[in-house]
């Protein structure tokens, strides 16, 4: 049963996640946190943070780790397979046909049409992280971390990996 | 021999591609077009365009398809494993070793500090997607879609998949004229 659930949890984000890895993050969160409750919001944030600090595609990293966490190496394989296989098979089978449609405005508008929805999903996810942080460490620590990491990431363009490492060190020293 | 080259090419891409799938596209181009010359730049662009019309992570779609082209089904599996497995291994190693100290106060502190930071990253992505939607769909249409999505997902708690599939069908079959956006 677990394997089927792992497959479904990553298959759905895999086939509706138009717009690459980042678009599928909130869809994965919906499945693993809200639907199957394999992780809490905080645990999901931790996986996402460390996943972002490591190289390589994010969606498959999340699928691999969460699958492993639930059901070992086979679980990890099922998660990655469900993320990768469906659209890859489509691509190989339909290549000739797709070649004809790749300039079609309707096909191009598909990614465009779901962007506001993905934005809402990402926004709700951000809100959940902030709300959790508020109840974990209070308003002042949350504000401090939010403002400092925003400035580092957006204003000074520090690489996310370093910002996350910095947050981990800060947390270990001051929030333990 | 081809399998060894495939593995190395995508192994390097997987380990150097900081910033997720889209960030690794130029690296794939470097390996596939410039270094091993498995295809020319034009064909690469075609495959990228087609990959972008399909859902799911782009890096593994590219790896799988190019692997398949170069060395059949085995090549496909090989290239995907090379892209994905090394960093999943690292992530599992990191998180399981952290988990074994999870009752320590300092580890709990680390988790707590990281939550708002990821919140900021998601907020930045939110803005990014909203801006891109506005650029492609216009202010009004993206605003309406944004509101409808917020009400149905945030307030009524509809599965996001239902909303997305509906929108995809409208994009394909609805009375939509060609639009200027659609970059990527």
């Amino acid at each position: 049963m677990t394997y089927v659930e792992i497959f479904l949890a990553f298959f759905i984000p895999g086939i509706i996640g138009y717009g690459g890895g980042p678009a599928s993050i909130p869809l994965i969160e919906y499945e693993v946190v809200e639907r199957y409750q394999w992780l809490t919001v905080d645990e999901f944030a931790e996986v996402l943070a460390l996943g972002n600090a490591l190289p390589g595609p994010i969606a498959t990293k999340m699928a691999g780790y969460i699958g492993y966490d639930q059901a070992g190496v086979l679980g990890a394989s099922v998660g990655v397979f469900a993320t990768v296989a469906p659209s890859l098979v489509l691509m190989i089978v339909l290549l000739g046909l797709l070649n004809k449609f790749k300039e079609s405005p309707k096909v191009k508008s598909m990614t465009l049409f779901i962007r506001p929805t993905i934005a809402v999903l990402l926004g709700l996810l951000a809100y959940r992280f902030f709300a959790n942080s508020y109840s974990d460490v209070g308003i002042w620590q949350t504000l401090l971390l939010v403002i400092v990491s925003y400035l580092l990431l957006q204003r000074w363009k520090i690489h996310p990996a370093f910002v996350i490492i910095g947050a981990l060190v800060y947390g270990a020293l001051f929030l333990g | 021999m081809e399998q060894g080259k495939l593995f190395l090419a995508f192994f390097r891409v997987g380990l150097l591609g900081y910033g997720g799938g889209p960030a690794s596209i130029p690296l794939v181009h470097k390996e596939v077009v410039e270094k091993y010359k498995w295809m020319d730049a034009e064909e690469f662009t075609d495959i990228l365009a087609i990959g972008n019309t399909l859902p799911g992570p782009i890096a593994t779609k590219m790896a799988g398809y190019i692997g398949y082209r170069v060395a059949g089904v085995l090549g496909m599996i090989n290239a995907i494993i090379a892209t994905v497995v090394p960093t999943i291994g690292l992530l599992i190693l990191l998180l399981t070793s952290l988990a074994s100290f999870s009752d320590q106060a300092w580890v709990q502190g680390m988790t707590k500090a990281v939550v708002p930071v990821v919140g900021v990253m998601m907020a930045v992505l939110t803005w990014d997607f909203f801006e891109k939607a506005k650029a492609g769909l216009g202010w009004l249409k993206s605003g309406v879609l944004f509101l409808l999505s917020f009400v149905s997902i945030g307030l009524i708690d509809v599965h996001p998949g239902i909303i997305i599939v509906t929108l995809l069908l409208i994009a394909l079959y609805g009375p939509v004229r060609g639009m200027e956006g659609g970059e990527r």
Side-chain angles (χ1 to χ4, degrees), chain A residues 16 18 106-121, chain B residues 133 137 141-142 144-150 152-153 159-176 179:
Chain A
I16 60 178
Y18 276 83
K106 291 202 164 184
V107 169
K108 284 188 171 176
S109 68
M110 287 171 81
T111 312
L112 213 49
F113 256 62
I114 66 163
R115 269 185 194 150
T117 312
I118 300 289
V120 166
L121 286 168
Chain B
L137 289 171
K141 215 184 260 177
S142 49
V144 169
L145 287 178
F146 189 85
L147 260 174
L148 283 179
S149 306
F150 179 74
S152 50
I153 296 168
H159 191 291
I162 296 170
I163 313 293
I164 291 177
V165 169
T166 311
L167 288 172
L168 291 175
L169 290 176
I170 293 173
L172 272 182
Y173 298 110
V176 184
M179 43 199 81

Side-chain angles (χ1 to χ4, degrees), chain B residues 74-132:
Chain B
L74 205 61
M76 174 180 93
I77 296 169
N78 184 6
I80 292 177
I81 287 178
T83 312
V84 157
V85 170
T87 50
I88 292 179
L90 273 177
L91 186 62
I92 290 174
L93 206 69
L94 267 174
L95 284 165
T96 45
S97 48
L98 266 185
S100 60
F101 296 106
S102 64
D103 49 350
Q104 303 277 332
W106 59 272
V107 175
Q108 287 164 12
M110 285 164 100
T111 309
K112 287 177 192 160
V114 124
V115 174
V117 177
V118 205
V120 169
M121 289 176 173
M122 293 301 111
V124 169
L125 272 178
T126 306
W127 183 245
D128 214 41
F129 268 82
F130 188 68
E131 285 279 281
K132 279 193 216 151

Side-chain angles (χ1 to χ4, degrees), chain A residues 12-25 27 30-31 34-35 41-43 45-65 68 76 80 83-84 87-88 90-92 94-95 98-99 101-103 105-126 128-130 132-133 136-137 141-142 145-147 149-150 153-154 159-161 163-164 167-173 175-176, chain B residues 13-22 24 45-65 68 76 80 83-84 87-88 90-92 94-96 98-99 105-127 129-130 132-133 135-137 141-143 145-147 149-150 153-154 157-165 167-168 170-179 181-184:
Chain A
I12 296 172
I15 53 163
I16 60 178
Y18 276 83
S24 55
I25 292 172
L27 298 168
Y30 189 91
E31 302 294 329
E34 285 169 59
R35 185 145 168 211
V41 174
D42 277 12
E43 285 163 345
E46 196 178 39
V47 177
L48 186 54
L50 289 177
N52 267 330
L54 291 172
I58 185 75
T60 43
K61 249 180 301 181
M62 312 247 356
Y65 173 72
Y68 176 83
V80 172
T83 310
V84 167
S87 63
L88 178 61
L90 271 181
M91 182 159 171
I92 290 174
L94 299 179
L95 196 80
L98 287 166
N99 226 335
F101 286 114
K102 69 176 195 291
E103 294 303 325
K106 291 202 164 184
V107 169
K108 284 188 171 176
S109 68
M110 287 171 81
T111 312
L112 213 49
F113 256 62
I114 66 163
R115 269 185 194 150
T117 312
I118 300 289
V120 166
L121 286 168
L122 285 163
L124 289 171
L125 192 52
R128 251 196 307 277
F129 288 148
F130 294 143
N132 262 46
S133 176
D136 279 347
V137 296
Q141 290 287 356
T142 301
L145 284 160
V146 165
I147 292 168
S149 57
Y150 178 80
L153 288 165
Q154 292 304 111
H159 194 286
V163 179
I164 283 166
L168 290 172
V169 172
Y170 179 84
L173 294 177
L175 299 177
Chain B
V13 171
L15 278 188
L16 298 175
Y18 268 93
S24 57
T45 316
D46 268 1
I47 293 171
L48 183 59
I50 289 161
N52 271 330
T53 64
L54 290 171
I58 184 73
T60 45
K61 253 181 296 181
M62 299 293 287
Y65 180 75
Y68 177 77
M76 174 180 93
I80 292 177
T83 312
V84 157
T87 50
I88 292 179
L90 273 177
L91 186 62
I92 290 174
L94 267 174
L95 284 165
T96 45
L98 266 185
W106 59 272
V107 175
Q108 287 164 12
M110 285 164 100
T111 309
K112 287 177 192 160
V114 124
V115 174
V117 177
V118 205
V120 169
M121 289 176 173
M122 293 301 111
V124 169
L125 272 178
T126 306
W127 183 245
F129 268 82
F130 188 68
K132 279 193 216 151
L137 289 171
K141 215 184 260 177
S142 49
L145 287 178
F146 189 85
L147 260 174
S149 306
F150 179 74
I153 296 168
D157 205 21
V158 180
H159 191 291
I162 296 170
I163 313 293
I164 291 177
V165 169
L167 288 172
L168 291 175
I170 293 173
L172 272 182
Y173 298 110
V176 184
R177 303 259 283 278
M179 43 199 81
E183 75 280 13
R184 271 176 47 80

Side-chain angles (χ1 to χ4, degrees), chain A residues 7 18 23 26 33 36 45 66 97 105 116 120 124 134 143 150 173:
Chain A
F7 181 84
Y18 276 83
V33 176
Y36 295 112
I66 296 167
L97 196 68
V120 166
L124 289 171
Y134 171 72
L143 272 180
Y150 178 80
L173 294 177

